[in-house]
Amino acid sequence: MMTSARRAQINRTNASHSTGPRGEKGKQIAAMNGFKHGLTGQRMILQDHEVDAYRRLGTALHADYQPQNEIESQLVQHIVDCNMRLNRAAAIDSSLMNVGVVENTSDAAEDSITESVVAQTRAWVKQADSFEKLGRYEARLSRQLLQYIRELDRIQNLRKSQPIATGKPA
């Protein structure tokens, strides 16, 4: 039987031989290793079909909030990203249900309305863990969004309440 100290030494030795990706393409691929669903993470990674919607959302929210400095711009960007992630979560929820309904619909059913309801229920039961996890992500994103909006409002109100400097000495 191998001791934990011996196993740790072997792991350190093996890790010292690993240099990771060297080329730019390999580094880009490795940067995506943790990407699963795009609802979390430091970077907003867009799929091709999301790019236009993301740009429109960013343009609209920047126009609405009219950030005047870097911190306001950063908060608006966080608001854009949270909204996009919430939109993505809604799309995933819909796709989970739609795929589940297709997979759980019986061809032998006589009543299509009843069969649709039964298929939805089967889909929900089979994917209950996924729906529950998705709901947690949505709740967390909603809380983050509200925090960013409140902080942006606080900073903008503070900025607006300060007297405007005229550039003349006092």
Side-chain angles (χ1 to χ4, degrees):
M1 183 167 163
M2 188 178 304
T3 66
S4 60
R6 177 75 178 126
R7 171 53 42 206
Q9 179 57 43
I10 291 170
N11 288 345
R12 280 192 295 276
T13 302
N14 288 340
S16 70
H17 299 296
S18 175
T19 60
R22 295 180 187 190
E24 200 53 44
K25 183 171 176 128
K27 289 178 183 179
Q28 288 174 352
I29 291 169
M32 296 294 292
N33 283 347
F35 183 77
K36 292 179 183 156
H37 43 62
L39 299 177
T40 62
Q42 296 296 316
R43 292 186 217 150
M44 186 71 207
I45 300 172
L46 299 173
Q47 305 211 9
D48 290 343
H49 68 277
E50 297 174 314
V51 173
D52 288 338
Y54 183 78
R55 286 186 182 138
R56 281 192 307 274
L57 181 62
T59 299
L61 290 176
H62 276 83
D64 288 347
Y65 286 110
Q66 299 179 355
Q68 299 297 307
N69 55 42
E70 186 59 29
I71 190 70
E72 291 179 11
S73 293
Q74 291 290 324
L75 286 166
V76 171
Q77 189 58 52
H78 286 310
I79 292 168
V80 170
D81 290 350
C82 275
N83 273 294
M84 194 67 195
R85 285 183 167 118
L86 283 167
N87 293 342
R88 182 179 285 166
I92 291 169
D93 182 84
S94 178
S95 295
L96 266 174
M97 183 55 74
N98 289 333
V99 168
V101 167
V102 169
E103 290 175 348
N104 289 287
T105 299
S106 169
D107 294 333
E110 293 179 27
D111 180 1
S112 63
I113 294 173
T114 302
E115 179 56 25
S116 177
V117 170
V118 171
Q120 287 178 5
T121 303
R122 285 186 197 121
W124 191 88
V125 168
K126 286 183 179 179
Q127 294 291 331
D129 289 343
S130 295
F131 283 111
E132 195 261 330
K133 189 183 294 183
L134 187 59
R136 285 195 314 263
Y137 285 130
E138 284 181 296
R140 195 196 87 222
L141 288 167
S142 294
R143 285 190 304 273
Q144 282 181 334
L145 178 60
L146 287 174
Q147 288 174 340
Y148 292 137
I149 290 171
R150 285 182 188 132
E151 182 62 7
L152 180 59
D153 286 343
R154 186 188 72 77
I155 289 172
Q156 287 186 328
N157 288 333
L158 182 64
R159 176 179 46 81
K160 291 172 184 175
S161 70
Q162 293 176 346
I164 298 174
T166 62
K168 295 179 185 178

